[in-house]
Amino acid sequence: MNPAALERLLAIRDGLEPLPKLYATLGLRVVSAEIGSVRMDLLPMVGHANPHGFMGGGVIATVLDTSTAWACDTMCAPGRACVTIDLNVNFLRPVRIDDRALLAHATIVHSGSRIMVAEGKLWQADGKLVAAAKSTCMVVASDPVERPRNRLADRTRNETT
């Protein structure tokens, strides 16, 4: 188990660690977490809409991918992390942009030293199931990562010199 991953997730929830930009962009929030289980919620927004006014499937898949990967991360040995290598999402009903918050819950199905499997479900506020997913994650070394460079700034700098 990886208490550091759980602590980081709870720090994000509590505002003690910066919200990842993806979460801010989507409006994704951590609701609760424990070893092997993560809950996140998402309020549908206009920016999530496809041309028909429904939430795009990619947004739904991203919520399920994020929550299942975190559930796996909490089960990793210290110094390890999980990356998704397969995600299967079953979309069960459309979500309107004016719907209330959606709740994702991800739990571990299999916790191995190299491969982990988690399932995630996404519900509407009224309890109707929107989508269900199964995620396979590979366990990898979690070396400290440098902040990504601004490639556009690098390209602009190179073009002006």
Side-chain angles (χ1 to χ4, degrees):
M1 289 183 245
N2 191 349
L6 180 60
E7 288 172 16
R8 183 168 185 221
L9 191 54
L10 294 175
I12 291 169
R13 178 197 66 189
D14 297 339
L16 302 174
E17 185 165 318
L19 191 65
K21 289 185 181 189
L22 175 65
Y23 300 10
T25 299
L26 290 177
L28 185 60
R29 296 182 319 157
V30 178
V31 174
S32 65
E34 55 192 52
I35 298 295
S37 175
V38 173
R39 286 182 183 1
M40 303 181 96
D41 72 4
L42 177 76
L43 186 63
M45 297 187 282
V46 173
H48 299 156
N50 65 21
H52 304 290
F54 296 103
M55 182 178 281
V59 176
I60 292 169
T62 299
V63 172
L64 290 165
D65 178 44
T66 302
S67 59
T68 55
W70 270 115
C72 290
D73 275 345
T74 67
M75 299 295 292
C76 286
R80 311 291 280 169
C82 287
V83 294
T84 305
I85 58 173
D86 185 53
L87 179 68
N88 182 336
V89 180
N90 293 303
F91 300 97
L92 305 173
R93 72 179 66 253
V95 175
R96 293 195 174 279
I97 296 308
D98 58 358
D99 283 350
R100 292 179 286 162
L102 302 173
L103 177 66
H105 183 204
T107 56
I108 291 294
V109 174
H110 169 74
S111 177
S113 61
R114 293 187 200 178
I115 298 292
M116 294 197 190
V117 177
E119 66 180 10
K121 294 183 179 175
L122 187 66
W123 288 277
Q124 292 174 317
D126 61 7
K128 292 180 181 171
L129 188 60
V130 170
K134 184 170 279 185
S135 172
T136 304
C137 291
M138 177 182 288
V139 180
V140 297
S142 63
D143 298 327
V145 177
E146 292 181 31
R147 294 226 175 248
R149 293 179 32 207
N150 184 336
R151 294 180 192 270
L152 180 58
D154 289 347
R155 186 172 25 171
T156 304
R157 221 179 355 259
N158 290 338
E159 290 173 358
T160 59
T161 56

